[in-house]
Amino acid sequence: MSESSKKAEMPGMGRTRRGGKSMILMMFLSILALAVILLFLFVKVYEQEQMLARLSGQVERLTRVVQENQTGQEEPAEDGKLTGDPGEGQVGEEKTGEDTGESEDKPGGEGKETVDLLEDGDSQTENPEDLEEGDLAAHKVYLTFDDGPSIYTDEILDILDEYDVKATFFVVGKDSDRAREAMQEIVARGHTLGMHSYSHKYSQIYASVDAFADDFAKIREYIYEVTGQESTVYRFPGGSSNTVSNLDMWLFADYLETQDVRFFDWNISSGDGGSQILPVETLLENCTKGILDRETNVVLMHDSAEKHTTIEALPALIEKIQAMEDVAILPITEKTHPVQHIHREE
Ligand code: ZN
């Protein structure tokens, strides 16, 4: 039967056809809606899975940290530490007060740790997407800058960006627009903003736990007010092994623990904390010493108006480290193995 004869036989067909068409359209639309809903659900489920994977990665990392803490110390305690021996290449003598710059180095503190790479491997490769680049590197380098912000902070940030490197800035309380902008930039560009006391006045902050707590609250609140972020890492002015404090540094370390803040010292000193300006070559040598002997390397440098050679050395330093085998430069985070000069007696 031909199309035209069909039409002729059924007069009401035009309307039903239109009705049929809109039925089909409706059906099509509902199928489309269904498909959209399914797609949405699928994406949700996928996101959940991703999140679960990330969470399990975090649990693994935590387990790893606990295991590391149980099986060995990164840094053997240095006995001579509290007697005020300036480290090799360090010019600054013991600091007695207001001056900036840590003079305490860690002479011979390097290369002694027992290298135990327990759990690397299987457990980590299960969730490769949780791992940030560099997490699996055998040698991790944490570049840290104390005493900033300074006139050089912007320059340091630009250099770090250029090499796609994240670092850690232990800042002090500087009440200026410029300093506040620098702190915001540090956070915005993905670096870690740590605390280094508000006043940086040894005589004040180490006078008593109360004095320390007051100063601590001040820098913590200041960072929060300026950046909207809660800082969770601290570096003692002079380091935990400073020779200035008359009180046991554990009093302050214990206080930090009650505040859920972890302190970090260093096991590589650039030497730029002394009063003499070190040439770029010396800084490069100091800052790369022993990296391949250790798993965790925390490099002490200064972000300070007087330390221009530190900034001059930075590009070459990063290049030198990046050229090393199986080395990654990372910012300090909560999962970073703490490098501390003082150790609890067991
Ligand atoms: Zn300092």
Side-chain angles (χ1 to χ4, degrees), residues 4-283:
S4 56
S5 59
K6 226 183 189 176
K7 213 179 258 177
E9 272 170 27
M10 306 180 207
M13 194 68 178
R15 223 177 37 206
T16 27
R17 250 201 204 163
R18 238 173 283 131
K21 261 188 192 164
S22 57
M23 274 267 271
I24 289 170
L25 189 70
M26 289 250 291
M27 269 170 68
F28 176 73
L29 282 177
S30 13
I31 289 169
L32 194 73
L34 205 67
V36 169
I37 290 167
L38 280 175
L39 191 73
F40 177 75
L41 285 175
F42 179 76
V43 167
K44 278 279 151 198
V45 168
Y46 180 73
E47 277 175 359
Q48 294 275 350
E49 271 178 5
Q50 292 277 80
M51 205 161 81
L52 276 176
R54 263 199 299 276
L55 277 174
S56 73
Q58 273 168 5
V59 168
E60 267 168 35
R61 276 196 289 267
L62 277 174
T63 321
R64 210 164 3 121
V65 168
V66 170
Q67 280 173 340
E68 270 173 23
N69 283 340
Q70 285 168 346
T71 45
Q73 301 282 7
E74 188 76 21
E75 275 274 286
E78 287 295 306
D79 290 333
K81 218 69 264 89
L82 297 173
T83 52
D85 42 355
E88 77 259 337
Q90 285 289 88
V91 183
E93 286 299 325
E94 185 180 293
K95 300 282 188 238
T96 47
E98 285 33 333
D99 28 3
T100 61
E102 291 72 2
S103 62
E104 287 74 33
D105 199 350
K106 288 285 295 168
E110 288 105 55
K112 284 192 207 154
E113 101 249 31
T114 43
V115 183
D116 48 348
L117 303 166
L118 357 138
E119 72 298 281
D120 284 342
D122 326 27
S123 61
Q124 295 186 345
T125 44
E126 275 168 26
N127 296 299
E129 73 275 11
D130 314 329
L131 293 167
E132 281 143 45
E133 242 183 294
D135 278 0
L136 288 176
H139 311 284
K140 299 174 181 77
V141 178
Y142 301 89
L143 302 177
T144 68
F145 298 93
D146 285 11
D147 299 353
S150 80
I151 51 163
Y152 289 126
T153 311
D154 287 343
E155 215 174 312
I156 294 174
L157 288 171
D158 286 345
I159 295 168
L160 294 172
D161 272 358
E162 202 179 306
Y163 290 93
D164 198 18
V165 159
K166 305 289 181 226
T168 305
F169 294 79
F170 289 104
V171 298
V172 296
K174 292 188 181 170
D175 185 17
S176 72
D177 286 342
R178 188 173 182 160
R180 281 187 279 272
E181 276 161 29
M183 285 159 69
Q184 287 160 353
E185 274 297 296
I186 289 168
V187 171
R189 300 211 208 170
H191 305 285
T192 297
L193 191 57
M195 299 169 274
H196 189 46
S197 83
Y198 191 92
S199 72
H200 204 283
K201 289 181 177 159
Y202 295 38
S203 55
Q204 270 181 31
I205 57 178
Y206 297 140
S208 68
V209 175
D210 281 348
F212 182 84
D214 284 348
D215 180 274
F216 169 82
K218 223 170 152 189
I219 186 66
R220 185 179 228 187
E221 276 156 29
Y222 188 53
I223 287 178
Y224 184 72
E225 185 191 305
V226 172
T227 68
Q229 279 203 0
E230 194 88 61
S231 179
T232 58
V233 288
Y234 192 94
R235 172 165 287 154
F236 289 111
S240 69
S241 56
N242 77 81
T243 52
V244 181
S245 174
N246 293 319
L247 295 178
D248 184 347
M249 286 301 289
W250 273 115
L251 291 171
F252 309 119
D254 286 343
Y255 176 76
L256 289 180
E257 212 172 299
T258 68
Q259 301 298 306
D260 284 326
V261 167
R262 179 177 273 184
F263 75 89
F264 280 83
D265 288 312
W266 58 90
N267 51 14
I268 293 186
S269 174
S270 63
D272 71 353
S275 49
Q276 200 184 49
I277 297 300
L278 296 183
V280 168
E281 268 313 308
T282 311
L283 291 172

